[in-house]
Amino acid sequence: MGNKTFTIIKPDAVRNGHSGKIIDHIIQGGFKINAMKMVQLTQDTAGGFYDIHRERPFFKDLVAFMTSGPCIPMILEKANAVEDFRKLIGATNPQEAAPGTIRNLYAKSIDANAIHGSDSDENAVREGSYFFSELEIF
Ligand code: IDP
Ligand code: MG
């Protein structure tokens, strides 16, 4: 089991003023922030990040949403990071997210669902290095 995961506070949460509360929720959940920045994704960077979903019917909307404003990618550290972070954020559809999870508290819909969390150790590494160089990781 790995001790790193990768997250993005998505544009809806940044726009709605929830990023501070979400960062605090993550820290209170026992995660250490190893890297963080605010970025505006482009069609290419958002499309590349979600390349595995390219053939899905919602891909075009997903890219439009992820480029709709700045977002905050972060690399996080904790024992059992990937699994524990998926628990902290809750189900993809906020209507199904457990009470007290980040998506339950701050997300409105399945597309604008406030936050990303890597689904495997392998993807956590791939996604982290998609956004951060070695010099930006503490
Ligand atoms: P995850 O973010 O919980 O891992 P994925 O299935 O990997 O969920 O989907 C990636 C992102 O694509 C979701 O977080 C959500 O923003 C969007 N998405 C997933 N399924 C749908 C859908 O059915 N309609 C619209 N957007 C979706
Ligand atoms: Mg996913």
Side-chain angles (χ1 to χ4, degrees):
M1 114 193 156
N3 67 341
K4 297 279 178 67
T5 192
F6 172 81
T7 184
I8 303 177
I9 302 177
K10 295 186 179 183
D12 59 320
V14 174
R15 193 157 40 238
N16 295 332
H18 294 145
S19 33
K21 282 175 286 184
I22 291 173
I23 290 167
D24 191 53
H25 194 124
I26 291 168
I27 293 169
Q28 296 309 318
F31 292 84
K32 181 172 167 282
I33 298 173
N34 286 349
M36 173 166 71
K37 61 186 166 189
M38 184 176 275
V39 289
Q40 170 68 53
L41 299 186
T42 63
Q43 298 286 313
D44 280 357
T45 50
F49 180 73
Y50 280 120
D51 199 51
I52 43 161
H53 294 313
R54 203 168 284 277
E55 305 306 325
R56 307 280 282 277
F58 58 81
F59 179 76
K60 209 163 163 264
D61 290 344
L62 178 59
V63 170
F65 165 65
M66 289 301 291
T67 58
S68 68
C71 64
I72 304 175
M74 293 183 253
I75 294 174
L76 304 175
E77 182 179 337
K78 182 187 182 297
N80 202 33
V82 165
E83 195 187 339
D84 286 1
F85 194 71
R86 295 289 300 201
K87 272 192 205 134
L88 193 80
I89 71 177
T92 307
N93 184 347
Q95 258 70 54
E96 292 161 13
T101 58
I102 292 175
R103 282 168 167 166
N104 167 256
L105 291 169
Y106 303 113
K108 292 230 164 61
S109 64
I110 191 165
D111 45 319
N113 63 0
I115 193 157
H116 168 81
S118 302
D119 61 7
S120 67
D121 290 344
E122 189 188 14
N123 282 336
V125 171
R126 185 185 70 80
E127 293 170 0
S129 57
Y130 189 80
F131 280 94
F132 296 99
S133 71
E134 281 304 316
L135 287 174
E136 295 173 305
I137 303 171
F138 294 90

